[in-house]
Amino acid sequence: MTTTNLEARLVEVVRADPNLMHVLTTVRALDLPDWRLVSGAVYQAVWNAQTGRAAGYGVKDYDLAYFDASDVSYEAEDEVIKRVAAAFDEPFRSQAEVRNQARVHLWFENRFGEPYDALTSTDQALSRFVAPTFAIGVRLEADDAITVAAPFGLEDVFSMTIRPNPLRPLAKGWAKTIANARGRWPELTVVEPERVDL
C-alpha cells in the first residue's frame, strides 16, 4: 500500500477515536509552537483498529511534543505543562505528557545514559524514537486537516511490527518496552536486534 494510502488510513483511525480527537482539538486551541501528538496514543490507536479492540484500549498517556527554542529553561516548559493540564479535565489532565523538544538534549543523557544532540524541530525528534513504529506524530491544523509526520513511514505501524531504530543505539529499556507492548497486543511481530550492546 502506498504512503499516501497509509496516511489516509491513519487519519481515518485518528478521526474515529473520540479521545484522540478531544486531545487534538484541545491542544490546537492552545496554539503551542510546532506541536504534535506523538508516539503511543497514535500508533496504539492503529493497533486497536487493526485488531478490533475498542478505541483507547491500552493507551496510558498522550505524549504532546512542541518546540520552543526561545526559552529552554525547565520553568518555561513547566508553565506550558501547567497550561496544557489546565485545558483538560480528568482523566486527560493526568494523561497529558508534555515536553519541549528544544530542551531534550539538556536532560536525556543523564536520564537514559546516551548522548542526545540538540534538535531543530519536533518532527526531527521522531527520527530518534526507540522504534520506527513509535516514530509517528499527528497535528490537527487550523483548517481541520490532520497532518502526519512519520520519518520511517507507516508500514511497521500498520503491520504491527516493532524493530529497533536503525539510526540510534538500541534503547537500554528495549526488552521492557517489548514486554509491555506484547502484554497488551500479543499480535505484535518483533524484529529483535542482531546484538545487544552491554
Side-chain angles (χ1 to χ4, degrees):
M1 195 167 271
T2 68
T3 300
T4 306
N5 288 344
L6 289 179
E7 279 196 14
R9 281 180 62 193
L10 174 63
V11 169
E12 285 176 17
V13 168
V14 171
R15 288 198 188 279
D17 187 317
N19 290 345
L20 285 183
M21 290 307 297
H22 175 63
V23 170
L24 289 171
T25 303
T26 303
V27 178
R28 177 179 64 179
L30 298 174
D31 200 27
L32 301 179
D34 190 20
W35 72 274
R36 285 201 190 271
L37 175 63
V38 300
S39 203
V42 184
Y43 68 77
Q44 291 164 3
V46 174
W47 293 354
N48 289 337
Q50 295 290 88
T51 60
R53 289 181 171 88
Y57 167 83
V59 174
K60 295 180 176 178
D61 54 32
Y62 296 90
D63 293 307
L64 294 161
Y66 72 99
F67 189 90
D68 184 359
S70 68
D71 186 344
V72 294
S73 68
Y74 170 78
E75 291 75 19
E77 182 183 58
D78 195 48
E79 282 302 313
V80 174
I81 291 169
K82 289 174 181 171
R83 199 169 140 230
V84 170
F88 286 107
D89 292 325
E90 292 295 353
F92 298 98
R93 179 174 293 156
S94 299
Q95 294 172 325
E97 297 279 338
V98 184
R99 293 292 175 267
N100 182 1
Q101 301 305 297
R103 66 181 307 275
V104 174
H105 66 284
L106 300 175
W107 53 262
F108 192 92
E109 187 167 6
N110 278 348
R111 183 163 175 200
F112 294 108
E114 63 181 86
Y116 196 96
D117 291 335
L119 296 165
T120 58
S121 70
T122 293
D123 288 356
Q124 185 187 15
L126 297 173
S127 66
R128 302 196 191 166
F129 283 20
V130 170
T133 200
F134 301 164
I136 181 172
V138 295
R139 179 171 55 235
L140 183 63
E141 304 292 352
D143 64 356
D144 284 336
I146 293 176
T147 56
V148 176
F152 300 99
L154 296 170
E155 290 80 6
D156 279 5
V157 179
F158 279 93
S159 67
M160 299 185 67
T161 300
I162 306 179
R163 70 184 79 239
N165 181 339
L167 303 181
R168 55 158 287 169
L170 185 70
K172 301 248 187 302
W174 173 260
K176 182 179 176 184
T177 298
I178 296 305
N180 202 334
R182 275 187 166 150
R184 289 174 284 166
W185 293 274
E187 302 90 343
L188 288 167
T189 297
V190 177
V191 179
E192 292 291 353
E194 291 178 19
R195 63 184 181 81
V196 176
D197 295 326
L198 299 175

